[in-house]
Amino acid sequence: MKLNAIIVEDEKTSRDILKNYLNKYCPNVNVLGEAENIDEAIILIRNNELDLVFLDVEMPFGNAFDLLEKVGDIDFETIFVTAYNHYAIDALNAHASYYLMKPISIEELIKAVDYVTEIKTKENALHEEVLVPKTNAVNGKITIPQQDGFEVINTADILFCKADDNYTEIYLNNNKKKLVSKTLKYFEEALNDGGFARVHKSYLVNVNEVVKYVKGKGGSVVLSNGKQIMVSASKKSDLLSYFK
């Protein structure tokens, strides 16, 4: 399987060496970007769906553990890459998948990537079986991933979902909102059998909660809570097909 990854390392030479090794010996790793400090790393982490972060320990204005603390809810694996072996226990406490010493051994790098690939493969299998169930297979319920497991909610309680970069805001009919670190496309696929329509690049609505359609090039829908959502012209026919 492909692993989307970033490299967090303050030394350009070290970044280049690691990237070259990955390109040559670990073709399943797709390096989406590089960061030389904590601030750049946080931006990359928040703007990408990552499987793996190669993480140097010592960086300007902080270290790897400061970065992980700032990120908070971590849903990617980490491979620490450092010249210092005294961070190994801290890395284990931070749930690192692997600890690579500099200079990097190609054999150890391959082992580390293979280990993470195995972890993510098992996670994806669980994802298919549990975290994104077919809604009709679990009596109209869906699971929302959380740091300590997942929360089960009734799909009928969802009014609409709104994209927020690589996050999704889920609005429920009890006036509650949940922010989930998954894309809107993730929920579009998970709810594709549950009466949900993608009406806009940023919105997925529960068609059972639509109480009115307002004509226009794309038009708009009004939901049961009074929320009005624009419908893009390209999505109009898909939406209206639910009401024919």
Side-chain angles (χ1 to χ4, degrees), residues 20-36:
N20 288 336
Y21 281 175
L22 291 170
N23 287 338
K24 188 171 183 179
Y25 300 105
C26 305
N28 67 314
V29 177
N30 179 29
V31 179
L32 299 180
E34 304 171 27
E36 62 180 26

Side-chain angles (χ1 to χ4, degrees), residues 82-94:
T82 179
Y84 307 98
N85 59 16
H86 59 270
Y87 288 114
I89 293 177
D90 290 333
L92 288 174
N93 290 335

Side-chain angles (χ1 to χ4, degrees), residues 48-89:
N48 294 281
E49 290 191 15
L50 299 175
D51 301 302
L52 174 60
V53 173
F54 291 93
L55 190 55
D56 185 21
V57 176
E58 295 193 347
M59 292 175 285
F61 312 111
N63 60 32
F65 307 106
D66 297 323
L67 170 61
L68 294 176
E69 184 177 353
K70 287 186 177 182
V71 171
D73 188 6
I74 297 171
D75 59 359
F76 52 80
E77 301 301 315
T78 54
I79 294 178
F80 279 73
V81 185
T82 179
Y84 307 98
N85 59 16
H86 59 270
Y87 288 114
I89 293 177

Side-chain angles (χ1 to χ4, degrees), residues 200-211:
H200 188 277
K201 68 178 181 179
S202 299
Y203 287 95
L204 180 70
V205 303
N206 184 345
V207 294
N208 293 306
E209 296 293 333
V210 173
V211 298

Side-chain angles (χ1 to χ4, degrees), residues 25-244:
Y25 300 105
C26 305
N28 67 314
V29 177
N30 179 29
V31 179
L32 299 180
E34 304 171 27
E36 62 180 26
N37 55 55
I38 289 176
D39 290 340
E40 291 180 1
I42 289 176
I43 291 172
L44 284 175
I45 289 170
R46 289 178 176 169
N47 289 337
N48 294 281
E49 290 191 15
L50 299 175
D51 301 302
L52 174 60
V53 173
F54 291 93
L55 190 55
D56 185 21
V57 176
E58 295 193 347
M59 292 175 285
F61 312 111
N63 60 32
F65 307 106
D66 297 323
L67 170 61
L68 294 176
E69 184 177 353
K70 287 186 177 182
V71 171
D73 188 6
I74 297 171
D75 59 359
F76 52 80
E77 301 301 315
T78 54
I79 294 178
F80 279 73
V81 185
T82 179
Y84 307 98
N85 59 16
H86 59 270
Y87 288 114
I89 293 177
D90 290 333
L92 288 174
N93 290 335
H95 306 291
S97 298
Y98 217 91
Y99 194 88
L100 290 176
M101 292 292 297
K102 296 177 182 177
I104 296 173
S105 160
I106 294 172
E107 182 179 351
E108 284 298 308
L109 175 62
I110 294 172
K111 284 172 61 178
V113 170
D114 285 347
Y115 181 66
V116 171
T117 301
E118 183 179 354
I119 291 174
K120 300 307 290 188
T121 299
K122 290 179 179 178
E123 282 184 3
N124 284 351
L126 176 63
H127 169 93
E128 292 297 327
E129 294 177 7
V130 179
L131 294 183
V132 190
K134 295 297 183 183
T135 54
N136 60 359
V138 287
N139 300 318
K141 298 181 185 295
I142 193 170
T143 53
I144 304 299
Q146 295 183 331
Q147 187 172 6
D148 59 350
F150 57 87
E151 177 184 359
V152 181
I153 63 175
N154 294 319
T155 57
D157 292 337
I158 300 174
L159 291 172
F160 66 95
C161 302
K162 180 183 178 183
D164 183 6
D165 291 328
N166 284 328
Y167 290 79
T168 297
E169 296 174 352
I170 300 177
Y171 291 80
L172 304 174
N173 57 18
N174 58 4
N175 293 321
K176 290 185 178 180
K177 179 180 75 171
K178 298 183 180 295
L179 182 64
V180 185
S181 58
K182 297 291 182 182
T183 64
L184 188 61
K185 183 174 177 59
Y186 172 99
F187 287 101
E188 182 181 12
E189 293 174 353
L191 296 166
N192 64 352
D193 293 329
F196 284 77
R198 185 76 174 262
V199 298
H200 188 277
K201 68 178 181 179
S202 299
Y203 287 95
L204 180 70
V205 303
N206 184 345
V207 294
N208 293 306
E209 296 293 333
V210 173
V211 298
K212 184 179 181 180
Y213 171 75
V214 180
K215 289 183 178 180
K217 183 176 181 181
S220 63
V221 291
V222 179
L223 303 182
S224 60
N225 67 342
K227 171 72 174 179
Q228 186 167 0
I229 296 174
M230 298 299 296
V231 178
S232 65
S234 61
K235 301 293 185 181
K236 180 177 178 178
S237 60
D238 292 339
L239 170 69
L240 296 183
S241 67
Y242 282 90
F243 300 97
K244 291 181 179 178

